Amino acid sequence: MTNENAFNIECTIEELRLEAREAPTAEERRRIEAELEAACVELAKHSGEKLP
């Protein structure tokens, strides 16, 4: 994973956190939180890789 990819995932995580806080319904919040969890897992999975 490149620095740019990691940065993009981090930006997505921040956007999803904001969306979850502002979600109009509990169902929508749960959907966003699932996406957030997937993004966090993706970032964690690649955090051990050596960045160029």
Side-chain angles (χ1 to χ4, degrees), residues 20-46:
R21 283 193 299 268
E22 297 178 355
T25 65
E27 181 180 334
E28 181 71 8
R29 187 176 67 249
R30 285 190 295 273
R31 184 193 63 75
I32 294 167
E33 287 173 346
E35 289 182 44
L36 175 59
E37 179 64 26
C40 289
V41 167
E42 183 69 19
L43 185 60
K45 182 170 70 171
H46 294 290

Side-chain angles (χ1 to χ4, degrees), residues 3-18:
N3 286 332
E4 184 178 349
N5 289 346
F7 177 76
N8 288 338
I9 293 173
E10 290 170 356
C11 288
T12 298
I13 288 170
E14 289 305 314
E15 290 171 5
L16 288 169
R17 286 181 177 148
L18 178 61

